[in-house]
Amino acid sequence: MNHNGNLTNKGAVDLFAPTSRFVSASKIYGRAHRGWLVLRKHWEMLVLLWVAVTFAAWAYSLLSGPRYQSKARMVLTGKINVSGDELYTEELINFLGTQAELLRSPAIQRRAMASLLAESLPASDSTVDRGARPDIQAKAKTVWKANFASGSAVDINAPPAIPFSIKVEEGSKSSTLDLRAIGPKPASTRRFLDCLMEAYLSYKRESLDTASTQASASLNAETMQLKSQLELAQAKLHDFQATNNVVFLQQQGAGAETHLASLSRELGNLRTDLKLLDSLTPEQWVESESSQGSVVSGQNSGEEAQARQTLANLQESQAALFQADQKMHLLMAERDDLSRVLRPAHPKIIKLSQEIAAQEELVQVARDEASKQLNLRHQALQLKIRNLESASKEWDAQAIAASQIMSNYEQIRLTVQRLQTAYDKTLDLMQNIDVRKRVEQENLGILDPASVAVSTHRLLTNMALATAISLLLGVGALFLVALIQDNFASRLELTEELSEPVVGQVPSISMEVSRPPLGRESLEMEHYEFLEAFRNIRATLLCQHNRGAKPMTVMLASSIPEEGKSTLAVYLAGSLARAKSRVLLVDGDMRRPSLHKHFHLPSGPGLAELLDEEISAAEVILPTSIENLALLPAGAAKRYPGELVLSPKWEQFLASVKPRFDYILVDTPPVMATEDAAALAPKVDGVLFVVRALFASARVVHGALDVLRQRRANLVGLIFNRAESSPCESPYYQPYAHAYHWQPEKPRLKAAMPASESAFNGGAASSNESI
């Protein structure tokens, strides 16, 4: 958005572009600058916090009385392992940390306190039961109050509190614990630390005894249960042995297994024979003896042996078939040989055919006889197989019954053996626990007993701690203040937040309360950096014609009162006049006029009478002590100033005086306070908007600028007034101020200074809007 309130295209934004380190550094310096200004403005907060916290620490240190500190050290010791197995263990991941927490625990400290109170009682009362004697309890409380209460009020009916603070730290790169006890009395503090270590060791022994007792009780119950179960199992085993002959059953089972194995082998051989007979034909007798072992293809070695035996049994019955068939084949071969040379009707051929026919009948008879013998052999083998299968089933049932009985016996025997082993192991554990309970040592022992208690100088420590706490609180409060503030602390923040250009920055300087009227010589004697700021603004206005029409009528506006707008108008007008420009300074704030005070001129008649048409412009424009500078006072308004600003007489007045002046500067009321500035803004060539550092809220500044944009005002730029410098952000001219500073020679003192030489130097601090 430009200064006229219109949107401008600034180009596409690259969201992935890396952040410039210069921009980041500027933001860091900007935040540091704001922090420094907040610290300089609210440093009293730090002082008040420091006083409050340190006073509380001082009062606490005095009221709590002196404190004494005693030190001791404990070390992680080795111990003898009585047996090969660990029976009692503790958490070892952070062993020393656990022991330190035990030493800090209220339970151990109460034990130590009870021991200390018991030692403080008279010897005559040490042998009686203190818990049953009210007089002893009252005496113990009185002793505690006298030795440990440090003069504070204590309810004697309440249980005594522990007046000692314990600190336990783990040694660096060592297995040690450093103990410190802080208390009100040196002797009792030292003794309490010793009692604390003794109470810790006693607690550890009690813990071991308790664990051992619980383990012994559990193991004893387990032993009794195992013993009862073992006796029952042994009685069951004895009953089984009394009703069953275990030796006979074992032998019976072994014999049954052997007989079953033989039956299985015999049954297998018979099945092999049967399988061979099923595969033989009567003609197979013609096979040679060498091939009789492989009659059935695919048989294994056992089956081959059985096949040979079967063929041998059938050899006699098939001999006739073999001879008849052989003779038939010889005759057929002879006939075939003769058929090559003789006719079929030859007597020899006919005779051979008849003999072959007769031989075929003999072969058929032999074949039938061999088949009959094979069938008989097949039936005999099937009968043997059925008998063997029946015998195998009987022996298998007997073996299974014997095996079941022996399995039950073995189960009972193993149960007795298991219970006996568990019972023996439990007895061993009980013996080991009893031994360890008598000879077990502590893991942590006392390395250095409690030292002599010395004073802790708590006052200095508490004061240092209070100082650190107050600084932290103060810095946090200042950070919160800087975080919630939304005003402008630097020119960088103003540039980042507002779209209008910043045409000048006026530093914050101190000015005298009572000063002579503003004049040429007093203007030149002003602060160097202060005047340079106005010369910079003057140069900006003079160069405006390079970018367009030069604004001749310029209005100075601000969002709220006391931003230094009127003083800026006076000094800017003086700077323009010193540059040989004819300047008219108009006091447009008819509600609270102040410009006339800078020049020691009357406040009226002025602008109010001029706009009300009671007087002419020539009568109200007054010359000042600065050459080329004239002033139009505000006057005294007889009707609402907002209506006077809207009067057409205002535009007529501006048109009539423009030929006589190069610049007309108009001072106006704040934009957010009245309507006058917003109504006048469209009637001038440009508006210079003043923003005071660390004063006006950013929300209010945005609102005032939005009002001016809505009225179509030409915003020339922003002036950052009363800019505070800091070590983080020094003014750009600071390093060169001494070298380039120029001032005229001071005039000699005169008896009386004429009013015309009263200068441009004064009046500002007397106004409510000083720089």
Side-chain angles (χ1 to χ4, degrees):
M1 183 178 291
N2 59 14
H3 60 275
N4 289 325
N6 300 322
L7 294 175
T8 57
N9 184 13
K10 295 185 179 181
V13 179
D14 187 4
L15 298 178
F16 299 98
T19 304
S20 172
R21 70 180 185 89
F22 300 103
V23 175
S24 301
S26 298
K27 291 182 178 179
I28 292 174
Y29 278 107
R31 294 190 182 98
H33 175 69
R34 172 177 285 275
W36 171 260
L37 295 182
V38 171
L39 174 62
R40 191 168 66 178
K41 183 176 181 180
H42 301 285
W43 62 269
E44 299 91 347
M45 184 185 302
L46 289 177
V47 176
L48 291 177
L49 282 173
W50 178 79
V51 171
V53 176
T54 52
F55 177 77
W58 173 79
Y60 172 77
S61 300
L62 291 183
L63 294 176
S64 60
R67 307 289 284 179
Y68 298 90
Q69 176 177 276
S70 178
K71 297 181 180 180
R73 180 178 296 179
M74 303 186 76
V75 64
L76 185 62
T77 59
K79 62 179 183 178
I80 299 174
N81 192 4
V82 177
S83 65
D85 298 329
E86 289 289 341
L87 295 180
Y88 178 76
T89 60
E90 297 184 71
E91 181 61 47
L92 299 179
I93 296 178
N94 189 8
F95 179 78
L96 286 180
T98 304
Q99 309 314 307
E101 288 299 324
L102 280 176
L103 288 166
R104 298 189 194 101
S105 64
I108 302 298
Q109 294 185 24
R110 284 195 294 267
R111 285 169 173 254
M113 194 66 196
S115 300
L116 186 60
L117 288 174
E119 294 177 0
S120 301
L121 292 175
S124 58
D125 297 331
S126 59
T127 58
V128 298
D129 184 6
R130 299 181 179 87
R133 293 276 304 275
D135 56 338
I136 300 301
Q137 293 182 355
K139 187 178 294 185
K141 293 176 182 179
T142 304
V143 171
W144 175 86
K145 183 176 181 180
N147 290 277
F148 314 115
S150 187
S152 58
V154 177
D155 185 4
I156 61 173
N157 297 319
I162 300 175
F164 305 98
S165 61
I166 300 298
K167 296 181 180 180
V168 184
E169 298 176 355
E170 298 182 31
S172 177
K173 298 180 180 180
S174 63
S175 299
T176 59
L177 292 177
D178 297 327
L179 288 77
R180 289 186 296 167
I182 300 176
K185 300 295 179 73
S188 59
T189 302
R190 180 182 183 182
R191 184 55 193 152
F192 176 78
L193 187 55
D194 285 329
C195 291
L196 180 69
M197 293 187 289
E198 293 171 359
Y200 163 78
L201 296 177
S202 175
Y203 172 79
K204 296 292 288 184
R205 286 190 290 269
E206 291 177 4
S207 299
L208 177 58
D209 292 342
T210 302
S212 300
T213 302
Q214 293 176 355
S216 298
S218 300
L219 289 175
N220 189 22
E222 184 68 18
T223 302
M224 298 301 295
Q225 184 178 0
L226 288 174
K227 184 178 180 181
S228 176
Q229 294 176 357
L230 180 60
E231 291 175 352
L232 292 176
Q234 289 175 346
K236 188 175 181 181
L237 181 61
H238 293 157
D239 293 341
F240 184 88
Q241 291 175 347
T243 57
N244 297 277
N245 192 342
V246 178
V247 177
F248 174 75
L249 289 174
Q250 290 176 346
Q251 293 177 354
Q252 183 183 7
E257 291 177 357
T258 304
H259 188 63
L260 276 174
S262 63
L263 289 177
S264 297
R265 287 194 298 271
E266 185 177 357
L267 185 62
N269 293 332
L270 292 176
R271 287 173 177 170
T272 302
D273 293 342
L274 182 62
K275 188 176 181 181
L276 177 61
L277 290 177
D278 290 339
S279 62
L280 287 175
T281 61
E283 286 78 8
Q284 288 179 330
W285 65 271
V286 298
E287 297 293 335
S288 63
E289 185 178 359
S290 61
S291 63
Q292 288 179 357
S294 58
V295 174
V296 181
S297 61
Q299 293 177 338
N300 55 27
S301 60
E303 291 176 347
E304 290 177 358
Q306 186 65 28
R308 293 190 187 98
Q309 183 65 30
T310 302
L311 291 176
N313 295 332
L314 296 176
Q315 187 173 6
E316 294 179 359
S317 63
Q318 292 181 347
L321 177 61
F322 176 76
Q323 293 176 359
D325 186 71
Q326 186 177 15
K327 186 175 181 180
M328 183 185 67
H329 281 83
L330 290 174
L331 291 174
M332 292 176 68
E334 184 179 357
R335 188 182 62 178
D336 292 338
D337 291 339
L338 292 176
S339 296
R340 295 187 183 97
V341 295
L342 297 177
R343 294 179 179 179
H346 193 276
K348 289 184 178 181
I349 298 299
I350 294 174
K351 183 180 181 180
L352 287 173
S353 297
Q354 292 175 353
E355 291 178 355
I356 290 173
Q359 196 65 32
E360 287 180 350
E361 292 179 359
L362 293 175
V363 170
Q364 183 63 35
V365 172
R367 182 182 292 110
D368 293 340
E369 184 65 22
S371 297
K372 182 179 180 180
Q373 290 181 0
L374 287 174
N375 289 333
L376 293 175
R377 178 65 178 170
H378 188 275
Q379 292 175 359
L381 288 176
Q382 287 182 339
L383 181 59
K384 287 183 179 182
I385 289 173
R386 285 196 294 270
N387 292 334
L388 288 176
E389 287 179 348
S390 178
S392 296
K393 290 181 179 179
E394 293 178 0
W395 280 97
D396 188 44
Q398 293 178 5
I400 290 175
S403 177
Q404 183 67 33
I405 295 174
M406 292 304 299
S407 177
N408 294 335
Y409 170 74
E410 188 67 20
Q411 184 176 3
I412 295 173
R413 188 182 66 82
L414 291 177
T415 301
V416 172
Q417 183 178 356
R418 178 180 58 81
L419 291 174
Q420 185 67 45
T421 303
Y423 180 72
D424 295 339
K425 187 175 181 179
T426 307
L427 289 178
D428 292 339
L429 287 175
M430 291 182 63
Q431 293 176 0
N432 289 337
I433 288 177
D434 292 337
V435 171
R436 284 178 173 272
K437 186 176 180 181
R438 292 190 297 269
V439 302
E440 188 70 27
Q441 314 92 31
E442 293 81 6
N443 290 325
L444 203 64
I446 299 176
L447 178 61
D448 297 327
S451 63
V452 177
V454 295
S455 178
T456 58
H457 302 288
R458 296 184 63 207
L459 180 59
L460 297 178
T461 303
N462 292 343
M463 294 297 286
L465 183 61
T467 301
I469 293 175
S470 62
L471 288 177
L472 289 176
L473 293 176
V475 171
L478 293 179
F479 176 79
L480 183 61
V481 170
L483 189 64
I484 63 177
Q485 281 185 342
D486 66 339
N487 47 31
F488 300 99
S490 63
R491 182 170 180 169
L492 176 64
E493 294 181 353
L494 196 66
T495 304
E496 291 179 349
E497 182 67 19
L498 303 177
S499 58
E500 285 74 14
V502 180
V503 299
Q505 174 176 301
V506 180
S508 177
I509 63 171
S510 60
M511 305 181 70
E512 297 179 5
V513 176
S514 178
R515 308 187 66 177
L518 197 60
R520 179 179 62 84
E521 294 181 357
S522 59
L523 178 62
E524 293 176 350
M525 297 298 296
E526 193 54 81
H527 292 273
Y528 168 75
E529 61 271 20
F530 182 71
L531 295 180
E532 283 299 317
F534 285 99
R535 290 165 187 157
N536 183 38
I537 301 173
R538 179 184 66 185
T540 302
L541 293 178
L542 293 175
C543 296
Q544 282 289 328
H545 65 280
N546 294 334
R547 298 189 298 269
K550 181 175 67 172
M552 293 183 60
T553 56
V554 179
M555 183 183 81
L556 277 83
S558 65
S559 56
I560 58 177
E562 299 185 11
E563 293 199 66
K565 166 181 52 62
S566 299
T567 307
L568 288 179
V570 171
Y571 279 88
L572 180 58
S575 299
L576 289 171
R578 290 291 298 159
K580 303 302 180 182
S581 296
R582 296 169 300 169
V583 182
L584 174 61
L585 181 59
V586 180
D587 192 350
D589 190 355
M590 292 175 283
R591 304 169 188 266
R592 295 177 60 188
S594 61
L595 297 186
H596 64 281
K597 300 176 182 179
H598 293 268
F599 302 98
H600 291 193
L601 294 175
S603 61
L607 179 62
E609 289 81 4
L610 176 65
L611 297 179
D612 212 8
E613 299 182 358
E614 295 180 1
I615 197 169
S616 64
E619 299 179 59
V620 295
I621 296 178
L622 305 177
T624 65
S625 56
I626 299 178
E627 186 180 0
N628 298 323
L629 176 60
L631 174 67
L632 174 59
K638 297 180 180 178
R639 57 187 177 127
Y640 184 64
E643 298 177 355
L644 294 176
V645 174
L646 295 175
S647 173
K649 183 64 176 177
W650 176 260
E651 297 179 354
Q652 297 174 7
F653 164 71
L654 291 179
S656 64
V657 297
K658 275 185 178 181
R660 296 169 50 192
F661 296 97
D662 297 322
Y663 290 97
I664 301 175
L665 301 182
V666 183
D667 181 28
T668 59
V671 176
M672 303 302 291
T674 67
E675 183 64 16
D676 300 0
L680 182 59
K683 300 181 181 181
V684 296
D685 297 337
V687 177
L688 286 175
F689 194 84
V690 180
V691 180
R692 178 177 170 180
L694 295 176
F695 191 74
S697 171
R699 303 186 303 273
V700 178
V701 173
H702 275 293
L705 292 174
D706 289 340
V707 171
L708 295 177
R709 294 189 191 103
Q710 292 172 3
R711 301 303 174 89
R712 304 295 180 183
N714 178 24
L715 290 170
V716 176
L718 307 175
I719 298 178
F720 190 52
N721 190 27
R722 300 193 67 173
E724 299 281 350
S725 61
S726 69
C728 304
E729 186 176 290
S730 299
Y732 58 90
Y733 46 76
Q734 192 67 30
Y736 313 103
H738 180 72
Y740 288 91
H741 180 53
W742 178 87
Q743 280 186 345
E745 294 182 0
K746 294 183 180 180
R748 296 179 180 179
L749 296 176
K750 299 182 181 180
M753 181 178 294
S756 61
E757 296 182 1
S758 60
F760 200 128
N761 213 359
S766 62
S767 171
N768 292 330
E769 302 181 30
S770 59
I771 293 299

